[in-house]
Amino acid sequence: MGIRLKIPRIHPRADSLKKREELIKGEEKGVVAKAGLIAHGRGEAFDYLLGEKTIPPALFAARAAAASLLLAEHPVISVNGNAAALVPDLLVRLSKSVPADLEVNLFYRSRRREEAVKSILIKAGAKKVLGVGRSASARIPELFSERRKVDPRGIYSADVVLVPLEDGDRTLSLKRTGKFVIAIDLNPLSRTAQTADITIVDNIVRALPNILAAVEDLKRLEKAELKLILGRFDNRRNLSETILYIRERLAALSRE
Ligand code: ATP
Ligand code: MG
């Protein structure tokens, strides 16, 4: 057990430090993998470049993501250790609002971590959590070992999958099996960001409330209107706008 830091509320990086603490606690409880801590640090670096706020292309992508979740026959929200440690309540709320299934989907899979992630989701109000134990019995082709296990009732048979903080190899495999992939990834250059159908370049703690608000807003629309929203979205273009935004921001910051 590490020594807990007391973070003064007025500290300029209080929120970021609080999130770090949540992840460290998650690691100690066996929810977050050690590599998850490293992934978080990489995310933080990109968040600095964005100014730690939702930028317009991310809001646009969140709205398209909501439309595709509402249009899906069988949408599934994939949950890894970092997501469970940071935003369990929001994941459960989104799954109820769409509605979509929740599936534990771990890069470093162990029975203990599966159960730990499931129990966080149950505590946050989830009624059903897929992908734990023997129920993760199907395999995504072309991936090796424990990384390819999925639930036949969940991701395996899903048409739309939301993957917060996913690895590039696994995103590519999901694409190859014909899924429509929505990614939340702070790094617009990662293979996940580049491969997904909709990439929300934002911190998961800000992206999920935006998707949730958009789902609540778009729910009342007809399918044809949702299709129009989705049709207007182009991930390539949106990623270009994201990278341009970062460039402009850095240019402004570098001016004296
Ligand atoms: P890829 O495998 O897609 O090429 P990678 O190997 O750099 O990328 P992974 O560790 O596989 O990255 O995946 C984790 C991703 O999650 C990283 O791109 C990181 O920027 C992102 N990430 C980390 N924390 C957050 C967060 N809180 N919100 C959104 N994204 C995050
Ligand atoms: Mg990776």
Side-chain angles (χ1 to χ4, degrees), residues 23 35-36 38-44 46 82 86 107 164-169 171 184-187 189-193 200 202-205:
L23 279 177
I38 297 170
H40 184 75
R42 186 156 55 251
E44 280 183 339
F46 281 98
N82 287 44
L86 289 172
F107 191 91
L165 289 64
E166 184 55 286
D167 165 63
D169 290 332
T171 305
I184 302 173
D185 194 327
L186 277 161
N187 178 2
L189 307 174
S190 77
R191 288 171 308 150
T192 290
I200 305 167
D202 203 358
N203 198 314
I204 187 176
V205 305

Side-chain angles (χ1 to χ4, degrees), residues 2 42 79 82 110 116 119 131 133 135 142 146 167 195 205 220 239 241 244 246 253:
R42 186 156 55 251
V79 183
N82 287 44
S110 71
S119 103
S135 69
E142 297 172 60
E146 301 297 289
D167 165 63
T195 312
V205 305
R220 58 199 163 77
L239 281 170
E241 276 168 22
L244 282 175
I246 294 172
L253 286 172

Side-chain angles (χ1 to χ4, degrees), residues 77-192:
I77 302 169
S78 160
V79 183
N80 69 2
N82 287 44
L86 289 172
V87 283
D89 298 357
L90 289 166
L91 291 165
V92 172
R93 275 175 61 198
L94 183 64
S95 82
K96 288 183 177 168
S97 179
V98 173
D101 282 328
L102 288 165
E103 175 164 342
V104 178
N105 185 20
L106 303 175
F107 191 91
Y108 297 97
R109 207 177 252 283
S110 71
R111 190 59 200 258
R112 181 168 166 249
R113 182 162 294 121
E114 285 175 357
E115 292 291 351
V117 171
K118 177 179 175 177
S119 103
I120 284 196
L121 293 173
I122 297 285
K123 247 187 237 153
K127 296 276 173 289
K128 185 175 72 168
V129 178
L130 301 173
V132 177
R134 263 194 301 220
S135 69
S137 59
R139 304 279 184 273
I140 310 177
E142 297 172 60
L143 269 183
F144 302 102
S145 71
E146 301 297 289
R147 288 164 54 186
R148 62 180 178 173
K149 282 187 175 176
V150 286
D151 196 313
R153 297 165 300 164
I155 290 174
Y156 190 76
S157 58
D159 52 351
V160 175
V161 189
L162 171 64
V163 288
L165 289 64
E166 184 55 286
D167 165 63
D169 290 332
R170 301 207 311 171
T171 305
L172 273 161
S173 299
L174 287 175
K175 277 306 302 163
R176 285 202 197 103
T177 54
K179 314 288 179 202
F180 187 93
V181 177
I182 306 165
I184 302 173
D185 194 327
L186 277 161
N187 178 2
L189 307 174
S190 77
R191 288 171 308 150
T192 290

